[in-house]
Structure formats: structure tokens, C-alpha cells
Amino acid sequence: TQIKDGIYEGECNLEIVTAKVKVTIQSAKIVKIEIIEHKHGPGYGANKITEKVIEKQSLEVDTISGATGSSKVILKAIEDALKKGL
């Protein structure tokens, strides 16, 4: 609720797994999360984590089974973007 409306970019880079995202905030809510870049290891399907974040309006969501590392990197990238809106 403290994040200003706008579009914010964030990233997390762990070399093997990286993510860059664009997060859109409207009326103090996350309305869209776009994954700009996602380099991942063997775990696929982590992109679905964005749907969970939007649904719960929180980063406190369960990771995607089989893609735990990638899920965590995407969540960190989202967190990085949201910090820019404070």
C-alpha cells in the first residue's frame, strides 16, 4: 500500500539463474508482472509465480514445484522492483 503507482523494473542475478521483471502498480496494487528476461537451470514453469504474487498481492507465496530456484530469483527481482516504488 506504500508503493506509488507506476512501472518499476527489478532484477536478480545469480549467474546460473537470472531474472529481470517489470511490475505495474495501479491504485497501490500489483496489476501486472512482465518477465523481461529469465535465464534458468533445469526447472521450468517458474513464470507462473507471477500469477500467485498478483493474486495474493504478496511476495509470500509458495514456490513452483520443480522450479524452486527460478521461483526464488523471480521473487527477488519483483522485490527489487517494488523497492524502487517506495
Side-chain angles (χ1 to χ4, degrees):
T1 60
Q2 299 174 11
I3 300 172
K4 298 173 189 167
D5 287 359
I7 299 172
Y8 303 98
E9 289 189 17
E11 63 183 304
C12 180
N13 184 344
L14 299 180
E15 295 187 31
I16 295 172
V17 181
T18 63
K20 286 185 183 179
V21 298
K22 217 183 257 190
V23 179
T24 304
I25 306 293
Q26 288 180 348
S27 302
K29 292 188 183 247
I30 302 168
V31 295
K32 182 179 178 183
I33 301 170
E34 178 184 351
I35 296 178
I36 300 168
E37 183 181 315
H38 182 211
K39 178 180 150 190
H40 50 80
Y44 297 98
N47 294 0
K48 293 180 182 178
I49 197 93
T50 60
E51 297 167 16
K52 291 182 173 191
V53 171
I54 293 169
E55 183 181 318
K56 287 188 95 177
Q57 292 295 301
S58 172
L59 296 174
E60 299 293 322
V61 296
D62 292 335
T63 58
I64 304 298
S65 180
T68 303
S70 289
S71 296
K72 288 180 179 180
V73 168
I74 292 170
L75 288 172
K76 281 295 191 185
I78 296 168
E79 179 181 15
D80 181 49
L82 294 175
K83 285 181 181 178
K84 295 174 181 173
L86 293 175

